[in-house]
Amino acid sequence: MAELILDGHKLNWHKDRVEARLRGERTAPITIDCALTRRCTYRCIYCYGQLQANDEKRMTKDVIFRFLDDAAEIGVKAISFVSDGESTCSVYLYDAILRGKANGLDVALGTNGYLLKEERLEEILPALTYLRFNASAGEPDRYAQIMGCKKGSFYKVCDIIKKCVKIKKEKELSVTLGLQMVLMPEFKNQIIPFVKLGKHLGVDYAIIKHCSDDEKHSLRINYTEYFKIVDILKEAEKYSTNDYLVKVKWSKILSKGKRKYARCYGPPFIMQFSGSGLVAPCGMLFNRRFKKFHIGNIADKSFKEIWKSRKYWEVMDFLSSDKFNPQTDCGSLCLQHKVNEFLWDLKQKKVFLEDAKTEPPMHINFI
């Protein structure tokens, strides 16, 4: 099996797109993370999406299909339905997955899994590159407390995951099935139960990641507390086998919530949409107070028009200028973090863009 990169980036396998952007060309994003709604069935205590309220538009089937058609036409390579809402709350999710795949896009889904329809799994699993379930605890009581749901939700989601594993094995599908824990330091007693749960359910991997906070520190994450649980995290990774990977996102967990880069170069390569239809550079800038970074809404105008607009490129250029400093002007450890680290070093001539010399990793278009 090719390498599964869960703590890094894949820009070396998109050298042509990086070089074009460095020349000042207007390139399409390689990856777009988006949701189909801002609604959610859970109320996770660490939810970053709740801090990013903005004006919601109706994401109809026509709006979603137009976006997916535009994305494929301009050169986007992958769409992940992961953002500030639970996309299973949209009745159009299943059609969207199939439309994206039919358009030649790689498609992925991140979900709490509660509303996934078992009768549609055999239809969508062959169309997905990966399906990741968010479960930040391994025991029913703590799952309910942390995820903001009823205890019975734990058992229902576990049954759905088992069904996905069964379908994958029986049909010999290539889809990667994963479990994700968003770790706040106070969840430390759930780390080992979480990785044991993933092993029991039969998923391909379990990933333990940091918790992001906004620039106001609204979630009060104390990043130094992560250093006190390093031994538990190392123990968790020992549960890996040939068929099951346990991975800690060490580079972010041990970063103290700090960035080394003073420019934001990542959004032209990997950008995010809100479940409201809002097109913004990243999830850190969805909130209404960042309105000057809001480029448009796909419910009002096609994504192709938005991408071609002066506003889109003015925002991208502003973020990469000395007028914006991601160290102080936005939240911590964003989706674009690893890409930004690499592009900063590239601009500083500390690294060089070379032809990738190894076999392409899995999920190559989810950079």
Side-chain angles (χ1 to χ4, degrees), residues 84-139:
D84 60 345
E86 172 56 56
S87 288
T88 58
C89 291
S90 170
V91 296
Y92 307 117
L93 170 65
Y94 306 95
D95 291 334
I97 291 170
L98 298 176
R99 179 70 164 226
K101 182 66 173 178
N103 283 353
L105 296 164
D106 287 348
V107 184
L109 172 64
T111 175
N112 61 41
Y114 183 76
L115 288 183
L116 266 181
K117 296 180 180 179
E118 290 191 24
E119 66 272 19
R120 302 297 299 270
L121 293 177
E122 291 195 14
E123 189 177 9
I124 64 169
L125 284 174
L128 290 171
T129 300
Y130 71 81
L131 171 56
R132 188 185 69 220
F133 293 90
N134 302 314
S136 294
E139 297 171 333

Side-chain angles (χ1 to χ4, degrees), residues 32-33 38 165 183 185 224 247 343 349 351:
I32 295 177
D33 270 29
R38 290 201 76 247
V165 171
L183 176 65
T224 62
K247 179 64 180 176
L343 293 171
K349 300 190 184 305
V351 298

Side-chain angles (χ1 to χ4, degrees), residues 4-24:
L4 180 60
I5 297 175
L6 296 173
D7 187 16
H9 68 88
K10 307 181 188 80
L11 279 183
N12 282 318
W13 286 272
H14 298 278
K15 183 181 176 183
D16 56 338
R17 196 71 63 99
V18 177
E19 289 178 333
R21 183 64 190 147
L22 291 174
R23 291 193 297 268

Side-chain angles (χ1 to χ4, degrees), residues 28-69:
I30 299 167
T31 310
I32 295 177
D33 270 29
C34 59
L36 300 180
T37 177
R38 290 201 76 247
R39 289 177 292 152
C40 189
T41 47
Y42 286 10
R43 289 294 179 268
C44 301
I45 63 176
Y46 55 78
C47 180
Y48 189 85
Q50 68 181 326
L51 305 177
Q52 298 298 328
N54 57 78
D55 299 328
E56 187 159 6
K57 299 292 181 73
R58 188 160 177 259
M59 296 278 276
T60 65
K61 184 176 180 179
D62 287 344
V63 167
I64 295 165
F65 275 24
R66 181 177 66 183
F67 158 63
L68 293 169
D69 293 349

